[in-house]
Amino acid sequence: MKGVLLKDLYIAKSNILVTLVSLIVLGFGLSFLLETSALLVLAPVASTTAVFISITSDASSKWNKNVITMPLSRKQIISEKFVFYLLLALVGLLTALIPCIVLMSVNGGITLHALYLYGVIGMSATLFAGGISLPCAYLFDPEKSQIVFMLSFMASTGIIVGLVLLLNLLIPVKNNIPLAFTIVLAFAALWFLAGYRIASASYQRQDIT
């Protein structure tokens, strides 16, 4: 699986590099207009676009017919895409932290509470979106998958809002914001795991030969 992961990193390296540099520049640029920590919401989502590029590239180059001849199970092939997605999300989050930490040390305008909150929201949105778009990449054709990929991020926002409203019926969210969004992140992780299982089951049934 390590070799396949390196292949995806090599294919998407230019896209990943541009995204990460853009996040750093945007982070410092936002400091003049908005709270820079808000970038943590966007960063993980923006960083994972390389995964979709990898999947569409595999489809166009008929890579799936080659990879199944390797000493990898179909479950491992799917696992690699989900690991790749998580890896890029975390790299994007850590990259966005660079301008946040620099600005926090300079003027102290950013709090640890804000970093945690926006980071959790960003990762939650990314996991919800991945739990939708990654399985659909193996259920639908590339054109439909692209549409789902774009819509999944909007859907993730709706899911987070719905969960927060539901949690507000159980606990006062305004008084327990870190706890509430930590619970949302836990639900997002479970959602992502469910998406992995769906994608794995779908790929197992596909006739690739």
Side-chain angles (χ1 to χ4, degrees), residues 150-191:
M150 293 184 290
L151 294 177
S152 65
F153 296 109
M154 290 186 285
S156 67
T157 304
I159 294 171
I160 291 174
V161 171
L163 281 174
V164 171
L165 292 175
L166 181 62
L167 286 171
N168 196 48
L169 299 176
L170 304 174
I171 59 173
V173 171
K174 286 186 178 181
N175 299 327
N176 299 277
I177 291 177
L179 173 62
F181 281 96
T182 301
I183 294 173
V184 170
L185 179 60
F187 273 104
L190 292 174
W191 181 285

Side-chain angles (χ1 to χ4, degrees), residues 49-66:
T49 56
V51 179
F52 187 75
I53 292 173
S54 168
I55 293 174
T56 53
S57 174
D58 288 350
S60 62
S61 64
K62 308 299 182 184
W63 168 255
N64 288 335
K65 291 186 178 181
N66 295 324

Side-chain angles (χ1 to χ4, degrees), residues 25-42 99-100 103 107 109-110 114 118:
V25 173
L26 184 61
F28 286 110
L30 281 176
S31 63
F32 298 100
L33 302 172
L34 301 171
E35 187 175 350
T36 306
S37 54
L39 182 65
L40 297 175
V41 176
L42 173 65
C100 292
L103 293 171
N107 55 33
I110 301 174
Y118 288 127

Side-chain angles (χ1 to χ4, degrees), residues 1-123:
M1 189 172 72
K2 181 180 178 181
V4 180
L5 181 60
L6 290 174
K7 182 271 297 181
D8 283 342
L9 286 170
Y10 179 79
I11 290 175
K13 64 179 181 180
S14 59
N15 175 271
I16 295 171
L17 182 60
V18 169
T19 300
L20 297 182
V21 172
S22 298
L23 288 173
I24 295 175
V25 173
L26 184 61
F28 286 110
L30 281 176
S31 63
F32 298 100
L33 302 172
L34 301 171
E35 187 175 350
T36 306
S37 54
L39 182 65
L40 297 175
V41 176
L42 173 65
V45 173
S47 300
T48 55
T49 56
V51 179
F52 187 75
I53 292 173
S54 168
I55 293 174
T56 53
S57 174
D58 288 350
S60 62
S61 64
K62 308 299 182 184
W63 168 255
N64 288 335
K65 291 186 178 181
N66 295 324
V67 73
I68 60 172
T69 65
M70 297 180 179
L72 291 172
S73 67
R74 292 195 178 197
K75 186 176 181 180
Q76 288 177 308
I77 294 171
I78 293 295
S79 297
E80 183 271 332
K81 296 299 182 186
F82 279 77
V83 170
F84 188 36
Y85 188 91
L86 278 177
L87 178 63
L88 291 182
L90 291 172
V91 169
L93 185 67
L94 293 174
T95 301
L97 280 173
I98 294 174
C100 292
I101 293 174
V102 170
L103 293 171
M104 184 170 63
S105 63
V106 172
N107 55 33
I110 301 174
T111 64
L112 290 176
H113 177 271
L115 291 179
Y116 178 79
L117 177 61
Y118 288 127
V120 166
I121 293 174
M123 285 303 298

